[in-house]
Amino acid sequence: MNNNLAVEIDGITGEVETLPPQKGQRYRCKLDSLGDVKREMAKVYREARSGLVDVQEATKLTWCLQAVGKVIEGSDLEKRIEALEAKNGH
């Protein structure tokens, strides 16, 4: 039986108990600019092409990254509009 789950063996009885899977560590990456989002999307793409990440999971991650990118675009546009309005005295 090839199983990647962690097990604990009772030292007295010798019984094997499968431990619940651990949650993954928090993934940290900088997503403050469209360039950051672009780099992360490229990384997800390369990992999917290499078989390191399931294609369905990569698709979900890419959709999330697209949403982050749209928020960044909207925020940047908002800042530009506010700067133009301040410059024109509105």
Side-chain angles (χ1 to χ4, degrees):
M1 176 170 81
N2 188 2
N3 191 340
N4 291 335
L5 296 177
V7 295
E8 182 176 69
I9 301 173
D10 187 300
I12 298 172
T13 65
E15 290 186 33
V16 177
E17 179 183 344
T18 302
L19 299 174
Q22 294 181 354
K23 293 183 179 181
Q25 291 182 345
R26 182 175 174 190
Y27 180 75
R28 295 178 185 261
C29 68
K30 186 177 171 192
L31 295 176
D32 295 332
S33 69
L34 288 177
D36 296 337
V37 173
K38 180 178 86 168
R39 275 189 293 281
E40 189 65 20
M41 287 176 103
K43 180 181 175 189
V44 170
Y45 173 80
R46 287 190 305 270
E47 289 176 350
R49 287 289 305 231
S50 300
L52 299 173
V53 173
D54 180 60
V55 174
Q56 290 179 336
E57 181 69 18
T59 301
K60 292 174 187 177
L61 293 171
T62 301
W63 277 98
C64 291
L65 289 166
Q66 285 178 341
V68 171
K70 288 178 184 179
V71 170
I72 292 170
E73 282 180 347
S75 176
D76 288 349
L77 285 174
E78 184 178 47
K79 288 177 187 174
R80 288 180 180 182
I81 291 169
E82 287 174 356
L84 286 172
E85 287 176 345
K87 184 178 178 181
N88 292 330
H90 288 116

